[in-house]
Amino acid sequence: MAPGLTPSPTGRSARPILKPGTAWSDAWRRSRAAAPEAFRDDRVLNLWAGRWHADGRVLPATSPVDATPIAGPPRLDGPAAAQAVRASLDQHRTWRHVPLPERRARVGAALDALTEHRDLLALLLVWEIGKPWRLARADVDRAIDGVRWYVDTIDTMLDGRTPLPGPVSNIASWNYPMSVLVHAMLVQALAGNAVIAKTPTDGGVACLTLAAALAVREGIPITLVSGSGGELSEALVRSPEIGCVSFVGGRDTGARIATAVADLGKRHILEQEGLNTWGIWNFSDWDALAAVVPGLFDYGKQRCTAYPRFVVQRALFDRFLAAYLPAVRSVRTGHPLAVEHPEDALPALDFGPLINAAKAKELGDQVAEAIDRGAVPLHRGSLADGRFLPGQDTGAYLPPVTLLNPPPSSPLFHAEPFGPVDTIVLVDTEAELLAAMNASNGALVATLSTDDTATYDRLAPHIRAFKVGRGKPRSRGDREELFGGFGASWHGAFVGGELLVRAVTEGPAGERAPGNFPAYQLIP
């Protein structure tokens, strides 16, 4: 038995420990060894003009896992970002003429390097954004496997197409650094573009720095900078050198970027949040519903395709609860790296912390306010049921909560909570069902559970989501699967499959890209 562990009456440890070899100091040491050019002492570096720079003001940062101090983003100012953009254009003018076989070879070599450091990238994600080990590794694997698919299939996608006039500027949220941001960057480069990325303010800077370092070693033209969105937007969005703006994030920021790119007539891909809903109407397969509920809490619903709203036929509410409540009570949370014995595997959690303590408090306050205004609490989990280290900071953790009928005055009524909070709305007619499922003026995904195929076929086209599933959750998808959004959830070109390549290349004169634009909406 390891020192300091006291056996419980059941033979299990009464005091969880941090899995040996998984501390932040271990991850940092391994990162410096893997890419010494990109890490210095206690900070990461910015990457522009093909070199690593110790510029920018480093902000202090702590891990959402347990408030351990970690590396913060080295924030550049606007003039420095503008200089980085001009340097990226120089790289772009060279890279766009590199033959596709060579681009494919270089991206393939970068993928091999990412694969070699897969577990280190995942460990950085655990510490920086609080992903449980299973989900962190999946994020890394989806990035690698998804780009390999493009490496193998891109030839026909590029027939008759050329790179953009300037680099692609990427501004993405913190929740999927690898499978969304790194994936997009490598495909954009494979298509012949230099790429620029701003590290998310709330987390992921070390993981992205390591991934960029491994790619740059293979000659891929990547620029990676940190800074506030407001200060860098002039350079990363409005610069005439930019060929396309790709954004993933909230509606407020997305709306400002949409206005800017529309004024400039600039190519853009703006993926924004929406209230994804799951409708229940004339339905009876409750075992199937109960089986998917725990998975809907993956990563604490901190993802663009999470389902935080159930719209339930009132006559079925008792049977819905009988299936839903036992399932939500089985959801597991806790410290992602806490084990009972040193040799134990890392815990298989549904989620760990939220992105920071401020978000956990904000969401907890919204729940309390909704209850004060009339919402009915149907389930409230407890952190006492989770596995945590003795005395650790749990300020960023929020257990699952389920509310019935949040009041219209609450943000939980009309907006995505981005945390482990479900809301339920009861309806009596099909018209009410559709109105409630379309509450946020567009969504990325939705699901309708109904026994009758004809009912699904009649109602599904009226649900304002890009992807609608029957009885099963929909996701962003991989490889050939397309992705987009309706209403305020998306502006610009759709992506996924050949559409991602089409969005970042130029085709025949007068070509209209599938997407959601002010002047038109074209469904692929």
Side-chain angles (χ1 to χ4, degrees):
M1 181 174 295
L5 294 183
T6 302
S8 69
T10 61
R12 302 296 288 170
S13 168
R15 294 171 60 85
I17 61 169
L18 186 69
K19 173 82 172 177
T22 66
W24 168 254
S25 58
D26 296 312
W28 184 254
R29 173 183 51 78
R30 291 169 59 190
S31 298
R32 292 192 63 186
E37 68 273 26
F39 297 84
R40 180 175 299 174
D41 299 327
D42 59 349
R43 65 170 290 169
V44 300
L45 307 183
N46 285 301
L47 170 63
W48 55 276
R51 299 187 304 276
W52 295 94
H53 301 262
D55 51 9
R57 180 172 60 92
V58 179
L59 293 185
T62 58
S63 169
V65 170
D66 59 7
T68 292
I70 61 174
R75 294 161 66 106
L76 293 179
D77 57 20
Q83 188 177 358
V85 169
R86 288 192 294 270
S88 181
L89 177 61
D90 292 338
Q91 291 180 310
H92 180 83
R93 287 169 171 164
T94 300
W95 179 253
R96 71 192 313 272
H97 297 295
V98 173
L100 177 58
E102 184 176 344
R103 297 200 306 264
R104 182 190 288 114
R106 293 190 187 185
V107 172
L111 295 175
D112 291 341
L114 293 175
T115 301
E116 179 184 351
H117 295 283
R118 170 207 189 203
D119 283 355
L120 175 54
L121 291 162
L123 184 59
L124 290 169
L125 290 181
V126 174
W127 280 109
E128 293 193 284
I129 62 173
K131 281 202 170 182
W133 182 243
R134 170 180 63 87
L135 300 177
R137 294 180 88 186
D139 192 13
V140 177
D141 290 344
R142 285 183 64 188
I144 296 170
D145 295 342
V147 179
R148 284 200 192 280
W149 180 83
Y150 281 95
V151 168
D152 293 338
T153 60
I154 197 169
D155 297 73
T156 57
M157 299 182 196
L158 287 177
D159 284 347
R161 310 193 67 81
T162 58
L164 297 175
V168 182
S169 178
N170 294 271
I171 303 169
S173 57
W174 43 265
N175 52 342
Y176 284 90
M178 292 295 298
S179 63
V180 172
L181 183 50
V182 170
H183 176 279
M185 292 163 60
L186 291 178
V187 175
Q188 293 160 8
L190 182 63
N193 303 289
V195 297
I196 305 168
K198 186 182 88 67
T199 64
T201 303
D202 287 324
V205 63
C207 177
L208 287 168
T209 298
L210 177 58
L214 297 174
V216 167
R217 286 178 182 174
E218 306 303 333
I220 298 174
I222 290 176
T223 295
L224 185 68
V225 295
S226 296
S228 72
E231 191 165 10
L232 301 193
S233 63
E234 188 68 26
L236 300 185
V237 176
R238 293 182 172 273
S239 289
E241 295 92 343
I242 297 297
C244 176
V245 176
S246 178
F247 169 83
V248 180
R251 290 192 176 187
D252 290 344
T253 302
R256 291 192 292 271
I257 293 177
T259 299
V261 295
D263 292 345
L264 298 168
K266 194 181 292 292
R267 185 80 62 98
H268 59 282
I269 306 161
L270 309 181
E271 175 187 332
Q272 300 167 195
E273 63 190 19
L275 185 62
N276 305 317
T277 59
W278 192 303
I280 308 289
W281 189 261
N282 292 341
F283 177 71
S284 63
D285 192 355
W286 302 110
D287 288 343
L289 178 68
V292 302
V293 167
L296 300 181
F297 280 86
D298 273 359
Y299 196 33
K301 305 206 174 207
Q302 297 178 104
R303 48 197 173 94
C304 64
T305 55
Y307 286 82
R309 168 69 51 82
F310 287 92
V311 181
V312 182
Q313 186 176 6
R314 191 182 307 271
L316 300 179
F317 185 46
D318 57 337
R319 280 164 279 183
F320 170 83
L321 281 185
Y324 172 87
L325 288 177
V328 75
R329 290 175 186 136
S330 72
V331 171
R332 300 152 299 175
T333 187
H335 191 302
L337 303 172
V339 296
E340 292 180 336
H341 298 99
E343 67 275 13
D344 287 350
L346 291 169
L349 303 174
D350 295 296
F351 67 96
L354 301 193
I355 187 58
N356 52 49
K359 176 61 180 179
K361 183 182 185 305
E362 173 192 292
L363 195 50
D365 289 345
Q366 289 179 0
V367 168
E369 183 179 46
I371 294 171
D372 286 344
R373 295 181 180 180
V376 179
L378 298 176
H379 172 73
R380 280 188 278 193
S382 171
L383 293 185
D385 298 326
R387 176 192 287 164
F388 297 99
L389 300 180
Q392 80 159 81
D393 188 307
T394 58
Y397 292 79
L398 185 74
V401 177
T402 306
L403 301 179
L404 173 65
N405 289 337
S409 59
S410 169
L412 298 176
F413 181 83
H414 55 79
E416 183 180 9
F418 234 60
V421 177
D422 275 345
T423 57
I424 300 172
V425 173
L426 303 182
V427 295
D428 296 298
T429 67
E430 290 183 356
E432 289 179 314
L433 175 81
L434 292 173
M437 293 189 71
N438 293 328
S440 68
N441 183 27
L444 303 177
V445 297
T447 292
L448 178 61
S449 289
T450 181
D451 292 343
D452 182 49
T453 300
T455 298
Y456 177 84
D457 292 341
R458 185 178 70 255
L459 296 179
H462 300 286
I463 299 172
R464 295 284 291 163
F466 187 79
K467 293 182 180 182
V468 180
R470 183 180 176 194
K472 296 180 180 179
R474 298 303 306 271
S475 69
R476 200 176 196 277
D478 294 300
R479 300 177 176 87
E480 68 271 14
E481 190 170 358
L482 308 182
F483 194 56
F486 290 150
S489 68
W490 195 282
H491 295 291
F494 295 147
V495 297
E498 62 94 13
L499 291 189
L500 174 54
V501 173
R502 187 170 172 179
V504 296
T505 54
E506 294 192 316
E511 177 184 72
R512 295 208 310 170
N516 187 25
F517 297 92
Y520 71 91
Q521 184 183 84
L522 181 61
I523 307 302

